[in-house]
Amino acid sequence: MADTPIHVARWGDAGPRVVLIHGGAQGAKASGGANFRSQEPLAAEGWQLIVPDRPGHGQSPDPGRPDDAELDGALMLDLIGDGAHLVGHSFGSCVALYAAAQRPAAVRSLTVIEPAFLNIASGDPRVRRMLVRVVVAQLFATSAARRAKRVMGVLGIPPEMYADADKAQLERLGRSLRKVRIPPKATVQRQLATIKAAGIPLLIVTGGWSPGFTAVGDTAAAAANGRHVIVASPHH
């Protein structure tokens, strides 16, 4: 899978390298260029931004498999080059963490934004409530399209991100959400331990809107000697 073709945008050709990894499940409008467009001006300030579309997203072809943090993460290793800062949002945080744990000597810093590490804090009642809501949304939806809307509502995805999606797009998204392969708790804990042992600066950013994501931020920061900051946001 390491030779799977993906589309990569490159903003800036000099300065520190930053790999920006978007989140989302296949069928959503998520892509590197769409999700990180506000960061593009940093290229004019001396940063070299590497912005991939994960498989099945944006301009990258359908991989014929579910979203998978390990397989997607393997595709990011070459983008790190001889050294880079990694940034991941949501499921993209799982992808970024995998890549960082594989090549810790080449990672200058790791920033994860509302990471999909919910399972590492599953014992926290705030996270348990969130996970129960996700399960209920999955099980009691009458169609894949309804499932997509209900799960995204629980996860705080702004409605404008899918308001103009047609039924086929929502159906694909709903199916993808059931199949997405989020790393198990033990894997995430092991990867965070690698980050800690390598002394990689870790920043976890959450929006304060969700007690569940706040708990995840606290747990991840404690596990890897990182820093958790809340940047106020009304959604994910």
Side-chain angles (χ1 to χ4, degrees):
M1 297 303 294
D3 59 353
T4 301
I6 58 172
H7 176 265
V8 180
R10 298 177 187 273
W11 303 333
D13 54 11
R17 180 187 298 246
V18 184
V19 181
L20 302 168
I21 306 173
H22 68 85
Q26 292 173 41
K29 294 195 298 183
S31 70
N35 285 38
F36 293 108
R37 184 60 60 186
S38 295
Q39 281 67 52
E40 186 175 7
L42 292 172
E45 299 179 18
W47 296 89
Q48 184 181 176
L49 306 180
I50 313 299
V51 192
D53 290 347
R54 288 176 30 238
H57 298 262
Q59 298 181 58
S60 291
D62 186 342
R65 59 162 173 82
D67 295 287
D68 185 303
E70 181 174 333
L71 295 179
D72 286 5
L75 299 174
M76 305 300 151
L77 298 179
D78 286 344
L79 302 181
I80 298 174
D82 59 2
H85 302 274
L86 294 185
V87 178
H89 173 244
S90 192
F91 184 78
S93 296
C94 299
V95 177
L97 178 61
Y98 172 88
Q102 291 296 302
R103 293 198 59 201
V107 176
R108 306 294 179 247
S109 70
L110 174 62
T111 299
V112 291
I113 306 163
E114 299 226 323
F117 303 160
L118 293 172
N119 47 23
I120 67 165
S122 57
D124 188 297
R126 295 169 293 177
V127 175
R128 282 204 303 270
R129 285 192 290 269
M130 191 173 185
L131 290 172
V132 167
R133 291 179 64 203
V134 170
V135 170
V136 169
Q138 292 266 25
L139 292 178
F140 294 98
T142 55
S143 69
R146 285 279 295 167
R147 181 186 310 120
K149 289 185 175 181
R150 293 182 67 175
V151 172
M152 288 191 294
V154 173
L155 296 178
I157 309 299
E160 57 265 27
M161 291 296 293
Y162 54 90
D164 60 351
D166 60 28
K167 183 177 179 180
Q169 290 172 311
L170 287 172
E171 291 282 340
R172 182 187 178 206
L173 177 56
R175 291 192 297 270
S176 296
L177 286 168
R178 289 198 73 168
K179 297 177 181 179
V180 62
R181 294 172 180 168
I182 294 176
K185 180 176 182 177
T187 297
V188 176
Q189 289 175 327
R190 184 171 62 251
Q191 291 169 344
L192 288 171
T194 298
I195 301 307
K196 181 179 180 180
I200 297 172
L202 172 65
L203 176 66
I204 303 104
V205 181
T206 59
W209 67 274
S210 164
F213 277 116
T214 298
V216 170
D218 289 341
T219 302
N225 197 28
R227 180 184 174 211
H228 175 208
V229 301
I230 296 176
V231 179
S233 171
H235 52 66
H236 185 56

